[in-house]
Amino acid sequence: MAKGCEHARGCHTGGVPTLASATAGARLWLLVEYAGPWPSHLESFELPENIAELVARALARGIRPQLIRRPGRRTRTRDQGIRVLVGYGIGDRPWLAGGVIAGPDDLDLDALVAGVVPESCILEDEPVFLVCTHAKRNACCARIGLPLARALAEKLPERVWETSHVGGDRYAANLVCLPHGIFYGSMSQAAAIAAANAYRSGEIILDRFRGRAGIPEPLQAVEHFARTHTGECSVGAVTVESSKSDGDVTEAIVRCGDVRFKVVVQPSARQAPCGSVCADKAATYRLVSLDRLSPVRYATPAYA
């Protein structure tokens, strides 16, 4: 049975802090178009054999699998093959590629792991936007996500997909911008359109920004506070050069444009306004200190 909010009191409206909550394990992506019913958990493999095999192969390689479908569409011609998108979200030059395959053996996922576009796919020249609408995982994702996905698709035809669970039900409606893996939560339709337009221009909007997927949560928090302090919105302008942890305190050296900062953060668990199963507790971070350092030299990102 789908689970959802009994009452809101701030939940899903932006009242709950969203920072540092992007899925830390998602650096590589496999999106598989499937218009049939989605199971509550993809790892249960309660899917057609060819789709289940693709999901299993992705999971075995540390690739994040997502089921996708076009907003408002639930049917597909059987002889079209399987529409897939693969995303490499690592470093400052992420990419996205798509194709139609006959079956799992036609998609080289080992190439994706190596950072190479599979032969069956072609590089995409426009970003893709995912809106979680996974009702069997959480009813709020469908209730809030479905109208948002349709509204966003009207503005950006063919670039928007409904998707299965992306992590963080308490932040529904969730929006993911690929290939960078930029996460937003508690999105209204207006906020989603603004965030998508900003991403297409190479920028991030800090309001309801959850973080970048594939980066540890403390470093997502470090980036968030550095951006808040400087007002830096360019997607690639903020880099964590190094970090160290002492207990639950994380200290990092961050580059923002031509300026470096030492940023110290610490987790701060708080009770979310919503008392439902999807938002009983929201873990967030607090800024301990932020100090400007010497001008930037040359360094390698800590999470590249």
Side-chain angles (χ1 to χ4, degrees):
M1 180 180 296
K3 297 178 179 179
C5 292
E6 296 170 359
H7 52 282
R9 299 209 313 260
C11 187
H12 309 309
T13 65
V16 176
T18 60
L19 69 99
S21 62
T23 303
R27 292 161 66 88
L28 306 170
W29 298 79
L30 169 63
L31 315 180
V32 182
E33 184 176 10
Y34 178 57
W38 295 348
S40 61
H41 294 75
L42 269 61
E43 59 269 25
S44 70
F45 304 116
E46 297 172 3
L47 292 160
E49 184 177 354
N50 56 355
I51 305 296
E53 179 64 22
L54 281 169
V55 170
R57 292 186 182 189
L59 290 171
R61 291 164 174 78
I63 300 169
R64 173 85 182 195
Q66 297 286 144
L67 299 179
I68 58 173
R69 61 193 173 207
R70 291 297 186 191
R73 301 185 199 170
R74 294 294 181 270
T75 60
R76 181 173 173 82
T77 305
R78 293 185 179 181
D79 61 358
Q80 287 183 317
I82 306 170
R83 167 71 169 160
V84 297
L85 290 162
V86 292
Y88 187 82
I90 300 172
D92 60 355
R93 295 188 130 190
W95 50 262
L96 193 68
V100 177
I101 60 173
D105 291 338
D106 294 330
L107 181 62
D108 185 359
L109 290 178
D110 291 326
L112 172 60
V113 173
V116 178
V117 177
E119 290 186 359
S120 56
C121 296
I122 300 174
L123 279 173
E124 300 270 324
D125 57 5
E126 289 284 340
V128 159
F129 302 97
L130 308 179
V131 179
C132 181
T133 60
H134 200 165
K136 282 190 178 179
R137 189 63 176 258
N138 189 289
C140 293
C141 294
R143 177 176 59 83
I144 308 172
L146 281 169
L148 188 149
R150 290 167 183 164
L152 191 57
E154 289 179 2
K155 299 292 184 180
L156 298 169
E158 305 304 314
R159 307 315 302 169
V160 179
W161 297 87
E162 295 179 22
T163 194
S164 54
H165 178 67
V166 296
D169 296 330
R170 64 176 64 90
Y171 304 115
N174 283 296
L175 173 69
V176 181
C177 309
L178 293 177
H180 282 84
I182 302 299
F183 273 54
Y184 289 94
S186 303
M187 298 298 276
S188 65
Q189 293 181 23
I193 292 169
N197 286 334
Y199 183 64
R200 295 178 74 214
S201 299
E203 295 188 339
I204 290 169
I205 292 177
L206 284 176
D207 181 35
R208 312 190 192 199
F209 174 51
R210 291 182 57 188
R212 181 176 177 183
I215 299 173
E217 287 91 344
L219 300 189
Q220 293 181 39
V222 164
E223 176 182 338
H224 179 93
F225 289 121
R227 286 184 180 278
T228 300
H229 179 77
T230 62
E232 180 59 68
C233 294
S234 176
V235 171
V238 179
T239 302
V240 177
E241 296 181 347
S242 63
S243 67
K244 63 180 181 180
S245 296
D246 182 6
D248 63 354
V249 176
T250 297
E251 176 184 307
I253 304 302
V254 187
R255 173 179 58 81
C256 286
D258 296 327
V259 183
R260 297 166 73 236
F261 298 91
K262 182 174 77 172
V263 183
V264 182
V265 299
Q266 186 175 34
S268 175
R270 65 185 294 277
Q271 188 74 21
C274 179
S276 74
V277 294
C278 68
D280 53 346
K281 278 194 175 181
T284 187
Y285 284 80
R286 71 179 186 90
L287 177 64
V288 177
S289 63
L290 189 153
D291 299 296
R292 181 168 178 161
L293 302 177
S294 59
V296 114
R297 299 261 193 265
Y298 295 97
T300 301
Y303 47 75

Short mmCIF file of all heavy atoms in Angstrom, two decimals, residues 30-36 38 47-48 50-51 54 66-71 73-77 80-85 99-101 158 160-163:
data_model
loop_
_atom_site.label_atom_id
_atom_site.label_comp_id
_atom_site.label_asym_id
_atom_site.label_seq_id
_atom_site.Cartn_x
_atom_site.Cartn_y
_atom_site.Cartn_z
N LEU A 30 21.29 4.89 -14.94
CA LEU A 30 20.63 4.17 -16.03
C LEU A 30 19.13 4.44 -15.92
O LEU A 30 18.48 4.07 -14.94
CB LEU A 30 20.87 2.66 -15.94
CG LEU A 30 20.01 1.80 -16.89
CD1 LEU A 30 20.33 2.12 -18.35
CD2 LEU A 30 20.18 0.32 -16.60
N LEU A 31 18.58 5.11 -16.93
CA LEU A 31 17.16 5.40 -16.99
C LEU A 31 16.54 4.48 -18.03
O LEU A 31 17.00 4.44 -19.17
CB LEU A 31 16.91 6.86 -17.37
CG LEU A 31 17.77 7.93 -16.67
CD1 LEU A 31 17.39 9.32 -17.19
CD2 LEU A 31 17.65 7.84 -15.17
N VAL A 32 15.51 3.74 -17.63
CA VAL A 32 14.86 2.77 -18.52
C VAL A 32 13.39 3.13 -18.66
O VAL A 32 12.65 3.17 -17.65
CB VAL A 32 14.98 1.33 -17.95
CG1 VAL A 32 14.35 0.33 -18.93
CG2 VAL A 32 16.44 0.98 -17.68
N GLU A 33 12.95 3.41 -19.87
CA GLU A 33 11.55 3.74 -20.08
C GLU A 33 10.69 2.49 -19.92
O GLU A 33 10.91 1.47 -20.58
CB GLU A 33 11.33 4.35 -21.47
CG GLU A 33 9.88 4.80 -21.67
CD GLU A 33 9.64 5.48 -23.00
OE1 GLU A 33 10.54 5.46 -23.85
OE2 GLU A 33 8.54 6.05 -23.18
N TYR A 34 9.72 2.59 -19.04
CA TYR A 34 8.80 1.47 -18.82
C TYR A 34 7.46 2.03 -18.38
O TYR A 34 7.33 2.61 -17.30
CB TYR A 34 9.34 0.50 -17.76
CG TYR A 34 8.41 -0.64 -17.46
CD1 TYR A 34 7.97 -1.49 -18.47
CD2 TYR A 34 7.94 -0.86 -16.16
CE1 TYR A 34 7.10 -2.53 -18.21
CE2 TYR A 34 7.06 -1.90 -15.88
CZ TYR A 34 6.64 -2.73 -16.92
OH TYR A 34 5.77 -3.77 -16.65
N ALA A 35 6.45 1.87 -19.23
CA ALA A 35 5.13 2.45 -18.97
C ALA A 35 4.24 1.55 -18.13
O ALA A 35 3.15 1.96 -17.73
CB ALA A 35 4.44 2.77 -20.29
N GLY A 36 4.69 0.33 -17.85
CA GLY A 36 3.89 -0.58 -17.04
C GLY A 36 3.95 -0.21 -15.56
O GLY A 36 4.56 0.80 -15.18
N TRP A 38 5.05 0.16 -11.81
CA TRP A 38 6.34 0.16 -11.14
C TRP A 38 6.21 -0.50 -9.77
O TRP A 38 5.32 -0.12 -8.98
CB TRP A 38 6.83 1.59 -10.94
CG TRP A 38 7.12 2.33 -12.21
CD1 TRP A 38 7.22 1.83 -13.47
CD2 TRP A 38 7.37 3.75 -12.32
NE1 TRP A 38 7.51 2.81 -14.37
CE2 TRP A 38 7.61 4.01 -13.70
CE3 TRP A 38 7.42 4.79 -11.42
CZ2 TRP A 38 7.88 5.29 -14.17
CZ3 TRP A 38 7.69 6.07 -11.89
CH2 TRP A 38 7.93 6.31 -13.25
N LEU A 47 9.42 -7.04 -12.33
CA LEU A 47 9.33 -6.33 -13.60
C LEU A 47 9.44 -7.34 -14.73
O LEU A 47 9.85 -8.48 -14.51
CB LEU A 47 10.47 -5.32 -13.71
CG LEU A 47 10.43 -4.11 -12.76
CD1 LEU A 47 11.82 -3.48 -12.64
CD2 LEU A 47 9.42 -3.08 -13.25
N PRO A 48 9.09 -6.96 -15.95
CA PRO A 48 9.33 -7.85 -17.08
C PRO A 48 10.80 -8.28 -17.12
O PRO A 48 11.69 -7.52 -16.71
CB PRO A 48 8.96 -7.00 -18.29
CG PRO A 48 7.97 -6.03 -17.76
CD PRO A 48 8.41 -5.72 -16.36
N ASN A 50 13.26 -8.53 -19.27
CA ASN A 50 14.32 -7.71 -19.86
C ASN A 50 14.59 -6.44 -19.05
O ASN A 50 15.75 -6.01 -18.90
CB ASN A 50 13.99 -7.36 -21.32
CG ASN A 50 12.65 -6.67 -21.48
OD1 ASN A 50 11.90 -6.51 -20.52
ND2 ASN A 50 12.35 -6.24 -22.71
N ILE A 51 13.53 -5.84 -18.49
CA ILE A 51 13.71 -4.65 -17.65
C ILE A 51 14.40 -5.03 -16.34
O ILE A 51 15.32 -4.34 -15.88
CB ILE A 51 12.35 -3.98 -17.37
CG1 ILE A 51 11.62 -3.65 -18.67
CG2 ILE A 51 12.55 -2.72 -16.53
CD1 ILE A 51 12.29 -2.64 -19.54
N LEU A 54 18.12 -5.48 -16.86
CA LEU A 54 18.83 -4.21 -16.94
C LEU A 54 19.04 -3.60 -15.55
O LEU A 54 20.13 -3.11 -15.22
CB LEU A 54 18.05 -3.23 -17.82
CG LEU A 54 18.18 -3.40 -19.33
CD1 LEU A 54 17.14 -2.53 -20.04
CD2 LEU A 54 19.58 -3.03 -19.80
N GLN A 66 16.81 3.85 -12.71
CA GLN A 66 15.54 4.56 -12.56
C GLN A 66 14.61 4.13 -13.68
O GLN A 66 15.02 4.04 -14.85
CB GLN A 66 15.74 6.08 -12.66
CG GLN A 66 16.61 6.71 -11.59
CD GLN A 66 15.92 6.82 -10.27
OE1 GLN A 66 16.56 6.68 -9.23
NE2 GLN A 66 14.62 7.08 -10.26
N LEU A 67 13.35 3.87 -13.34
CA LEU A 67 12.33 3.68 -14.36
C LEU A 67 11.79 5.06 -14.73
O LEU A 67 11.63 5.93 -13.86
CB LEU A 67 11.20 2.79 -13.86
CG LEU A 67 11.59 1.37 -13.44
CD1 LEU A 67 10.38 0.61 -12.94
CD2 LEU A 67 12.27 0.62 -14.59
N ILE A 68 11.52 5.28 -16.01
CA ILE A 68 11.00 6.57 -16.46
C ILE A 68 9.84 6.37 -17.42
O ILE A 68 9.67 5.30 -18.02
CB ILE A 68 12.10 7.41 -17.15
CG1 ILE A 68 12.69 6.66 -18.36
CG2 ILE A 68 13.18 7.81 -16.16
CD1 ILE A 68 13.66 7.49 -19.18
N ARG A 69 9.01 7.39 -17.54
CA ARG A 69 7.93 7.40 -18.54
C ARG A 69 7.56 8.86 -18.80
O ARG A 69 7.78 9.74 -17.95
CB ARG A 69 6.71 6.61 -18.04
CG ARG A 69 6.08 7.14 -16.77
CD ARG A 69 5.10 6.13 -16.20
NE ARG A 69 4.60 6.54 -14.90
CZ ARG A 69 4.17 5.69 -13.97
NH1 ARG A 69 4.18 4.38 -14.20
NH2 ARG A 69 3.72 6.13 -12.81
N ARG A 70 7.02 9.11 -19.97
CA ARG A 70 6.63 10.47 -20.31
C ARG A 70 5.42 10.90 -19.47
O ARG A 70 4.51 10.10 -19.23
CB ARG A 70 6.27 10.56 -21.79
CG ARG A 70 7.46 10.41 -22.72
CD ARG A 70 8.46 11.53 -22.54
NE ARG A 70 9.52 11.47 -23.55
CZ ARG A 70 10.62 12.20 -23.50
NH1 ARG A 70 10.80 13.04 -22.48
NH2 ARG A 70 11.54 12.10 -24.44
N PRO A 71 5.38 12.14 -19.03
CA PRO A 71 4.24 12.62 -18.25
C PRO A 71 2.93 12.43 -18.99
O PRO A 71 2.78 12.83 -20.15
CB PRO A 71 4.56 14.10 -18.05
CG PRO A 71 6.04 14.17 -18.08
CD PRO A 71 6.46 13.15 -19.11
N ARG A 73 1.65 9.71 -20.15
CA ARG A 73 1.59 8.57 -21.07
C ARG A 73 1.74 7.27 -20.32
O ARG A 73 2.58 7.14 -19.45
CB ARG A 73 2.70 8.66 -22.13
CG ARG A 73 2.63 9.91 -22.98
CD ARG A 73 3.69 9.84 -24.07
NE ARG A 73 3.97 11.16 -24.61
CZ ARG A 73 4.99 11.41 -25.43
NH1 ARG A 73 5.80 10.44 -25.79
NH2 ARG A 73 5.19 12.64 -25.88
N ARG A 74 0.93 6.27 -20.68
CA ARG A 74 1.00 4.97 -20.02
C ARG A 74 1.05 3.82 -21.02
O ARG A 74 0.98 2.67 -20.65
CB ARG A 74 -0.20 4.78 -19.08
CG ARG A 74 -0.24 5.74 -17.90
CD ARG A 74 0.93 5.49 -16.95
NE ARG A 74 0.90 6.38 -15.82
CZ ARG A 74 1.49 7.56 -15.79
NH1 ARG A 74 2.14 8.01 -16.86
NH2 ARG A 74 1.45 8.33 -14.72
N THR A 75 1.12 4.10 -22.31
CA THR A 75 1.16 3.04 -23.31
C THR A 75 2.37 3.23 -24.22
O THR A 75 2.88 4.33 -24.38
CB THR A 75 -0.11 3.05 -24.18
OG1 THR A 75 -0.21 4.30 -24.85
CG2 THR A 75 -1.34 2.79 -23.33
N ARG A 76 2.80 2.13 -24.82
CA ARG A 76 3.96 2.16 -25.69
C ARG A 76 3.85 1.03 -26.71
O ARG A 76 3.43 -0.08 -26.38
CB ARG A 76 5.24 2.00 -24.88
CG ARG A 76 6.51 2.06 -25.74
CD ARG A 76 7.74 2.06 -24.85
NE ARG A 76 8.95 1.94 -25.64
CZ ARG A 76 9.56 2.93 -26.27
NH1 ARG A 76 9.05 4.12 -26.20
NH2 ARG A 76 10.66 2.72 -26.96
N THR A 77 4.25 1.30 -27.96
CA THR A 77 4.24 0.27 -28.99
C THR A 77 5.28 -0.78 -28.69
O THR A 77 6.44 -0.47 -28.40
CB THR A 77 4.53 0.91 -30.37
OG1 THR A 77 3.58 1.94 -30.58
CG2 THR A 77 4.41 -0.13 -31.47
N GLN A 80 9.05 -1.17 -30.51
CA GLN A 80 9.98 -0.06 -30.53
C GLN A 80 11.27 -0.33 -29.78
O GLN A 80 12.17 0.49 -29.79
CB GLN A 80 9.32 1.20 -29.97
CG GLN A 80 8.28 1.81 -30.91
CD GLN A 80 7.71 3.09 -30.34
OE1 GLN A 80 7.41 3.17 -29.16
NE2 GLN A 80 7.57 4.10 -31.18
N GLY A 81 11.39 -1.45 -29.11
CA GLY A 81 12.55 -1.72 -28.28
C GLY A 81 12.47 -1.01 -26.94
O GLY A 81 11.41 -0.51 -26.55
N ILE A 82 13.58 -0.93 -26.24
CA ILE A 82 13.63 -0.33 -24.90
C ILE A 82 14.39 0.99 -24.99
O ILE A 82 15.57 1.02 -25.37
CB ILE A 82 14.33 -1.26 -23.89
CG1 ILE A 82 13.66 -2.64 -23.88
CG2 ILE A 82 14.30 -0.63 -22.50
CD1 ILE A 82 14.45 -3.66 -23.09
N ARG A 83 13.75 2.06 -24.64
CA ARG A 83 14.39 3.38 -24.63
C ARG A 83 15.20 3.51 -23.35
O ARG A 83 14.68 3.27 -22.24
CB ARG A 83 13.32 4.47 -24.70
CG ARG A 83 13.81 5.88 -24.39
CD ARG A 83 14.68 6.44 -25.48
NE ARG A 83 14.89 7.87 -25.28
CZ ARG A 83 15.88 8.55 -25.83
NH1 ARG A 83 16.74 7.95 -26.63
NH2 ARG A 83 16.00 9.85 -25.62
N VAL A 84 16.50 3.83 -23.46
CA VAL A 84 17.36 3.99 -22.30
C VAL A 84 18.12 5.30 -22.39
O VAL A 84 18.39 5.82 -23.47
CB VAL A 84 18.36 2.82 -22.15
CG1 VAL A 84 17.64 1.50 -21.91
CG2 VAL A 84 19.29 2.73 -23.36
N LEU A 85 18.46 5.83 -21.23
CA LEU A 85 19.38 6.96 -21.10
C LEU A 85 20.42 6.56 -20.08
O LEU A 85 20.10 5.96 -19.04
CB LEU A 85 18.65 8.22 -20.64
CG LEU A 85 17.69 8.87 -21.64
CD1 LEU A 85 16.73 9.81 -20.93
CD2 LEU A 85 18.48 9.63 -22.70
N GLY A 99 19.52 5.97 -26.25
CA GLY A 99 19.37 5.08 -27.38
C GLY A 99 18.19 4.15 -27.18
O GLY A 99 17.55 4.15 -26.12
N VAL A 100 17.90 3.35 -28.19
CA VAL A 100 16.86 2.32 -28.12
C VAL A 100 17.54 0.98 -28.36
O VAL A 100 18.24 0.80 -29.36
CB VAL A 100 15.76 2.57 -29.17
CG1 VAL A 100 14.73 1.46 -29.12
CG2 VAL A 100 15.09 3.92 -28.93
N ILE A 101 17.36 0.06 -27.43
CA ILE A 101 18.03 -1.24 -27.51
C ILE A 101 16.99 -2.35 -27.61
O ILE A 101 15.84 -2.19 -27.20
CB ILE A 101 18.94 -1.48 -26.30
CG1 ILE A 101 18.12 -1.46 -24.99
CG2 ILE A 101 20.05 -0.44 -26.24
CD1 ILE A 101 18.92 -1.85 -23.76
N GLU A 158 9.66 16.89 -24.34
CA GLU A 158 10.63 15.82 -24.62
C GLU A 158 11.86 15.85 -23.73
O GLU A 158 12.76 15.03 -23.90
CB GLU A 158 11.08 15.86 -26.09
CG GLU A 158 9.94 15.80 -27.10
CD GLU A 158 9.05 14.56 -26.89
OE1 GLU A 158 9.58 13.46 -26.71
OE2 GLU A 158 7.81 14.73 -26.90
N VAL A 160 11.44 16.10 -20.20
CA VAL A 160 10.95 15.82 -18.85
C VAL A 160 10.41 14.40 -18.79
O VAL A 160 9.70 13.94 -19.70
CB VAL A 160 9.86 16.82 -18.44
CG1 VAL A 160 9.33 16.51 -17.04
CG2 VAL A 160 10.40 18.25 -18.51
N TRP A 161 10.76 13.71 -17.70
CA TRP A 161 10.27 12.34 -17.48
C TRP A 161 9.73 12.22 -16.06
O TRP A 161 10.29 12.79 -15.11
CB TRP A 161 11.40 11.33 -17.63
CG TRP A 161 12.02 11.25 -18.98
CD1 TRP A 161 13.06 12.00 -19.46
CD2 TRP A 161 11.67 10.35 -20.04
NE1 TRP A 161 13.38 11.62 -20.74
CE2 TRP A 161 12.55 10.61 -21.13
CE3 TRP A 161 10.70 9.34 -20.18
CZ2 TRP A 161 12.48 9.90 -22.33
CZ3 TRP A 161 10.65 8.65 -21.37
CH2 TRP A 161 11.52 8.92 -22.44
N GLU A 162 8.67 11.45 -15.90
CA GLU A 162 8.32 10.93 -14.58
C GLU A 162 9.33 9.84 -14.26
O GLU A 162 9.83 9.15 -15.16
CB GLU A 162 6.91 10.32 -14.59
CG GLU A 162 5.79 11.30 -14.84
CD GLU A 162 4.43 10.60 -14.84
OE1 GLU A 162 4.33 9.51 -14.25
OE2 GLU A 162 3.50 11.13 -15.46
N THR A 163 9.64 9.67 -12.98
CA THR A 163 10.62 8.65 -12.60
C THR A 163 10.25 7.96 -11.31
O THR A 163 9.43 8.46 -10.53
CB THR A 163 12.03 9.27 -12.49
OG1 THR A 163 13.00 8.21 -12.44
CG2 THR A 163 12.17 10.12 -11.22
#
